Amino acid sequence: MLKGYTPSEIVSELDKYIIGQKNAKEIVAIALRNRIRRKKLSAKMMEEVTPKNIIMIGPTGVGKTEIARRLARIANAPFVKVEATKFTEVGYVGKDVDSMIRDLVQASVQLVRKEKILEIHDDAEKRVEERILQSLLPEKTPDDLVYDYDKKENSDIVEVDSNSSKQDRFKKTKEKLREKLISGELEEKEIFIEVEERTQSPMDMFSNMGIEGIGINFKDIMDRMLPNKKKRQKLKIAEAKKILLDDEVEKMLDTNKLAKEAIERAEELGIVFIDEIDKIAMKENSYGPDVSRSGVQRDILPIIEGSTVVTKYGIIKTDHILFIAAGAFNSTKPSDLIPELQGRFPLRVELNSLRINDLEKILTEPENSLIKQYDALLRTEGIRLEFASEAIKEIARIAAVVNDQNENIGARRLHTILEKLLERISFNASKIKKKKIVISKKYVKTRLNNIIRKEDLSKYIL
C-alpha cells in the first residue's frame, strides 16, 4: 500500500500543489516515512511504535488542511477532516467524538472499494456482455429462430449456414451478436433485463443514528429475512450496460473481505485532521462555556491515546492512526490545552503567513493553480486566457493589501479577487468572438480598483 517514498520525494510531491511552508512539509514527510519504516520492523516492535501526532499553528488559508489532504493522497491513506468545535462533552448538544473514527472507516471503505472495483472491472464487463447476449439470444432459443434470427426482430445478424448443426448455428449466431455488441452497433436495441432492487436495511438506518453495534450483530440476519427483490425492466442496451455493470460489481465484491481490509487500512494508514483545535483550548481559571471546552478535550483524549471504536464494519483500534491538529491560536496557545492532550501532540510546527511573492507563486506554479483552472474553464467556450506577468503581480498585491486591511484569509482571498476580475468575461463568454484574451495590469487595476478602498470592501469580502 505504501510506496517507498523518501522524505525529500514526499516534499517534492507536496511542492506540486502547495507553495512554501517548508518546515510543515518536512515534518509530515518524516511522519509518513516513519510509517514506511515501521512496516519493516518485527511484529513485536511494530506494536510499540506509535505515530508522533502533529499540531500545525497558523492563520487560515496558508495550507494546513491541504498539506494533510495531499499527504493522505500520496500514501493512498484514508483521510477525514473534522472540526473540534463539533464535539462536546456528554450532556451538551454536539457530535459524538467516536464519529470521527467511524467517518475514517467509511472513507477507508470507499477507498478500498474503488480499488477492488478497478480490479474486477474487466471481469464484470465480460459478465455483463454474457447477460446481454443471453437476453438477445436465450439458451433455449428454438433451432428455427437461431437460423432465422436475421429475419426476425434482430435483422442485423447475417444468415448462418443451414447445413450446420443446431449447436454450431447457435454458436455462430451468438458470436456475430457479440461482435456487433462490442462494436456498439446494438446500443439502441431494447432488451429485457432483471436486476436486484437493493433497499436500505433497517440496521443501516440504526447505524446512521449512531447505534453502530446493532449494525454488526443483526445485519446479516436482517438481510436474510428481507431478501432483495428482482425487478424486470426493458431498456436500451446502452442504458442496460451501466445498470448490469453495477449489479455484477455488487455481486463480485466480497463485502466481508472488503470491510476487513478497510479496517486494517484505517488502523495502519488512517489520518485524522482535527481543525480549529485552538477553539477548545482554555486559559487558566476559566469558567462558564470554557468548562465545556475542557470536556471536549477530555472526550477526544482517549481516541488519540488509543482505544477501540465500534463501527458497522467492525471494531477498529486507534493506536496507530496519525492525528494532525491545526489552529490559528490567536487568543490561545498550544500550552492552553490540557497537559494530557499536549503530550499526545509532541510535534509542533508554525506555518508562515503568505506574502506577496507567495501569492504570486500560488497563482501560477501549482499543478492545480487558479489561473490554470480559469483558463481550462474558459477554453470550453473557445476562449484562451493569457495573464501578463505584471498583471499577476498586481493581483497578488491587491490580495495582500485586502488581507492586511481586513481578516487575513490567506490564499482563499485569491478566489474572491479572481472571481471579481473575470466576472464579465465569464458572463459573456458565449458571446465573445475573440479566441485569445490577454489580462493586462491596466485591466486588473480597472476591474479591482474599488476593492482596495475600505469603504467599499463589504461588497466583496467573504
Side-chain angles (χ1 to χ4, degrees), residues 200-223 226 312:
Q200 187 183 37
S201 164
M203 293 304 102
D204 290 334
M205 290 187 280
F206 278 123
S207 61
N208 288 339
M209 294 163 59
I211 312 174
E212 299 290 345
I214 294 178
I216 291 173
N217 296 329
F218 299 114
K219 188 176 187 304
D220 291 340
I221 298 169
M222 292 301 296
D223 284 346
L226 300 169
K312 66 180 177 182

Side-chain angles (χ1 to χ4, degrees), residues 114-380:
K114 283 180 184 176
E115 291 174 5
K116 297 298 179 189
I117 288 174
L118 284 175
E119 288 175 14
I120 64 175
H121 189 267
D122 290 346
D123 289 338
E125 282 193 328
K126 287 177 184 175
R127 290 190 181 196
V128 169
E129 189 179 289
E130 289 301 322
R131 283 179 69 174
I132 292 173
L133 288 173
Q134 174 65 19
S135 180
L136 287 168
L137 189 68
E139 293 284 348
K140 295 180 181 179
T141 303
D143 187 37
D144 58 342
L145 181 58
V146 174
Y147 177 66
D148 292 333
Y149 201 80
D150 55 317
K151 300 173 186 176
K152 306 290 181 183
E153 59 189 50
N154 304 286
S155 57
D156 40 26
I157 301 300
V158 296
E159 193 171 327
V160 182
D161 182 9
S162 59
N163 295 322
S164 303
S165 68
K166 177 181 176 180
Q167 190 175 6
D168 286 342
R169 289 201 300 274
F170 181 85
K171 284 181 180 177
K172 287 177 183 178
T173 305
K174 189 173 182 179
E175 287 312 306
K176 290 183 182 297
L177 268 173
R178 191 189 303 276
E179 288 171 15
K180 291 185 176 290
L181 182 63
I182 293 170
S183 66
E185 292 178 44
L186 305 180
E187 294 292 277
E188 294 300 308
K189 181 170 180 56
E190 290 188 331
I191 58 169
F192 282 101
I193 62 169
E194 204 173 61
V195 292
E196 288 186 353
E197 280 188 304
R198 289 182 171 81
T199 55
Q200 187 183 37
S201 164
M203 293 304 102
D204 290 334
M205 290 187 280
F206 278 123
S207 61
N208 288 339
M209 294 163 59
I211 312 174
E212 299 290 345
I214 294 178
I216 291 173
N217 296 329
F218 299 114
K219 188 176 187 304
D220 291 340
I221 298 169
M222 292 301 296
D223 284 346
R224 291 191 204 103
M225 290 171 62
L226 300 169
N228 291 324
K229 296 177 182 178
K230 289 191 175 181
K231 184 180 178 183
R232 186 174 169 84
Q233 295 175 278
K234 187 176 184 181
L235 297 168
K236 290 182 179 179
I237 286 178
E239 297 172 44
K241 278 181 181 178
K242 297 173 187 175
I243 295 171
L244 290 174
L245 185 62
D246 289 341
D247 192 51
E248 288 299 331
V249 164
E250 288 299 327
K251 288 179 182 176
M252 293 174 72
L253 284 175
D254 185 336
T255 52
N256 291 329
K257 190 176 177 182
L258 188 151
K260 186 180 177 183
E261 189 173 329
I263 290 282
E264 288 175 4
R265 179 84 64 96
E267 284 181 338
E268 297 296 317
L269 295 177
I271 298 174
V272 176
F273 185 81
I274 306 174
D275 203 6
E276 295 185 353
I277 198 164
D278 56 317
K279 302 294 190 299
I280 61 167
M282 56 179 281
K283 295 179 180 179
E284 290 182 20
N285 304 319
S286 295
Y287 301 96
D290 287 343
V291 176
S292 177
R293 297 180 189 179
S294 173
V296 176
Q297 294 181 57
R298 294 190 185 282
D299 281 351
I300 291 175
L301 183 61
I303 302 290
I304 298 175
E305 281 184 331
S307 59
T308 56
V309 177
V310 179
T311 77
K312 66 180 177 182
Y313 299 103
I315 296 172
I316 178 173
K317 292 173 68 179
T318 66
D319 302 63
H320 298 99
I321 292 171
L322 175 64
F323 291 89
I324 301 176
F329 289 97
N330 293 323
S331 56
T332 56
K333 50 189 184 295
S335 58
D336 290 328
L337 295 167
I338 60 174
E340 297 90 340
L341 196 59
Q342 289 182 50
R344 283 293 162 180
F345 287 94
L347 301 179
R348 296 175 192 176
V349 59
E350 194 164 340
L351 283 80
N352 304 316
S353 295
L354 300 175
R355 299 184 296 273
I356 293 177
N357 60 331
D358 294 320
L359 294 169
E360 274 184 53
K361 291 176 182 177
I362 288 168
L363 283 170
T364 55
E365 290 186 9
E367 292 191 2
N368 62 336
S369 72
L370 284 174
I371 283 179
K372 290 174 186 174
Q373 289 178 35
Y374 277 102
D375 181 44
L377 285 170
L378 288 170
R379 277 176 187 265
T380 63

Side-chain angles (χ1 to χ4, degrees), residues 23-89:
N23 290 341
K25 288 175 182 173
E26 289 181 354
I27 281 183
V28 298
I30 292 169
L32 181 56
R33 183 63 180 179
N34 280 338
R35 287 191 156 188
I36 297 169
R37 292 166 179 155
R38 179 176 170 270
K39 286 289 182 184
K40 298 176 182 178
L41 301 176
S42 65
K44 187 177 179 181
M45 186 58 74
M46 269 179 67
E47 196 61 33
E48 296 298 324
V49 177
T50 55
K52 304 301 180 285
N53 298 320
I54 303 162
I55 287 185
M56 293 184 180
I57 304 163
T60 185
V62 296
K64 300 188 294 293
T65 306
E66 193 65 12
I67 287 172
R69 185 176 281 116
R70 292 289 172 184
L71 183 75
R73 288 187 187 177
I74 291 168
N76 198 24
F79 173 84
V80 66
K81 177 190 173 184
V82 296
E83 310 291 332
T85 48
K86 286 184 180 178
F87 306 113
T88 64
E89 61 182 322

